[in-house]
Amino acid sequence: MNLSDSQTASQGPRRISAMEAVLGHLRSAIERGEYAIGDKLPSEAELCRTLEVSRPVLREALRALQTMGLTVSKTGKGTFVVGNAVEDPTFGDYAASDLLEVRRHVEIPVAGYAARRRTPENLDHLAHLLDRMERETDTTAWVAMDTLFHLGVAEAAQNPVFRRVIEEIRDALARQSAFLNELGGRREQSNREHRAIVEALMDGSETDAVEAMAHHLDRVETTLTDIVRPQRADTPLEGGPEA
């Protein structure tokens, strides 16, 4: 079974990566009950051989399964199934729903404050960072700059407490960003949303900045929901999501 060059049925021309294909295959198998809760997945070597993918690709998929709460990896023992449906992915120390709730209550008003209080240095920093993000093709490097962007907006609000809050969730933001980029193809769309935020800050428009950040977080939530509970065009599962 070669999963190295697959394409989604529902997203038109966007080709899915080998990791997405492996993740979808394993997730479906878990949700169908081929691997029950408590079962150990086949070894990495066996899965690589069966699915015809490299070990790095497989390990990325296994990490995503764990983020989704379907499996847990035990050093020296293997990967075990602990759930048969994705409810609320976990990014670092925080559940996705908790993270998004806090982001809405913090980052949306912060964008408004930033539009009123930003300095020329703040704007230069964000514009330079955004230019780099729009040119960047490496996901890891882009994700690192994504967290710096949100820190930069918090800094522009001129309240050190806001920055401290974003610093606290920085690791979770990075994990979520990587997850959405790997499985949701979010990078270009996110760049456009970031551009709208920066333009609102440059204009000094509190209303536009608040709306731009709210739209950005709406799209984050929508993409996450699509990953957790996608519409299936083939054999729908009863109440179960699929990757």
Side-chain angles (χ1 to χ4, degrees):
M1 178 186 296
N2 191 329
L3 297 181
S4 62
D5 187 23
S6 302
Q7 185 171 7
T8 58
S10 59
Q11 294 183 350
R14 191 180 87 83
R15 301 189 71 83
I16 67 173
S17 66
M19 187 279 282
E20 289 177 86
V22 172
L23 173 61
H25 173 79
L26 293 174
R27 180 178 174 181
S28 293
I30 291 171
E31 291 171 339
R32 289 196 303 268
E34 293 179 21
Y35 300 115
I37 293 176
D39 284 354
K40 178 182 175 181
L41 294 184
S43 68
E44 289 187 3
E46 184 178 347
L47 286 171
C48 287
R49 195 163 50 244
T50 302
L51 303 178
E52 300 180 34
V53 294
S54 66
R55 192 162 296 224
V57 166
L58 176 66
R59 286 178 174 172
E60 284 185 30
L62 292 177
R63 282 195 293 270
L65 284 177
Q66 187 161 324
T67 295
M68 291 176 170
L70 295 177
T71 64
V72 63
S73 294
K74 300 180 180 180
T75 304
K77 295 183 179 180
T79 299
F80 295 83
V81 177
V82 294
N84 55 17
V86 181
E87 298 297 337
D88 198 1
T90 300
F91 300 108
D93 295 330
Y94 304 110
S97 59
D98 292 339
L99 186 62
L100 186 61
E101 183 176 52
V102 168
R103 293 189 70 185
R104 286 190 181 283
H105 280 84
V106 174
E107 291 193 83
I108 292 174
V110 160
Y113 288 126
R116 289 161 42 194
R117 302 171 179 171
R118 81 286 186 274
T119 66
E121 291 76 18
N122 294 142
L123 294 178
D124 286 345
H125 170 67
L126 288 169
H128 177 67
L129 188 59
L130 184 57
D131 286 343
R132 290 175 58 199
M133 293 175 74
E134 291 175 339
R135 295 193 302 269
E136 185 58 64
T137 57
D138 179 75
T139 297
T140 301
W142 188 93
V143 164
M145 288 187 283
D146 187 25
T147 60
L148 290 175
F149 178 87
H150 287 274
L151 276 171
V153 175
E155 287 176 346
Q158 310 306 326
N159 183 329
V161 180
F162 288 142
R163 179 188 169 89
R164 186 65 177 266
V165 172
I166 302 302
E167 283 279 11
E168 167 61 29
I169 62 174
R170 184 174 179 177
D171 177 67
L173 290 179
R175 291 171 185 261
Q176 183 185 68
S177 180
F179 183 80
L180 295 179
N181 276 281
E182 289 170 352
L183 301 179
R186 275 272 305 156
R187 191 187 311 164
E188 290 185 8
Q189 185 182 60
S190 189
N191 282 339
R192 291 194 295 271
E193 293 156 12
H194 286 163
R195 175 65 66 183
I197 293 168
V198 171
E199 289 176 353
L201 298 187
M202 288 181 170
D203 291 341
S205 173
E206 181 177 359
T207 299
D208 288 350
V210 165
E211 289 180 355
M213 184 63 80
H215 175 68
H216 177 53
L217 296 182
D218 283 345
R219 297 309 304 162
V220 167
E221 182 176 20
T222 297
T223 304
L224 187 60
T225 300
D226 287 345
I227 292 170
V228 173
R229 300 181 182 85
Q231 298 296 317
R232 295 193 54 182
D234 47 4
T235 53
L237 300 170
E238 295 182 5
E242 208 269 308

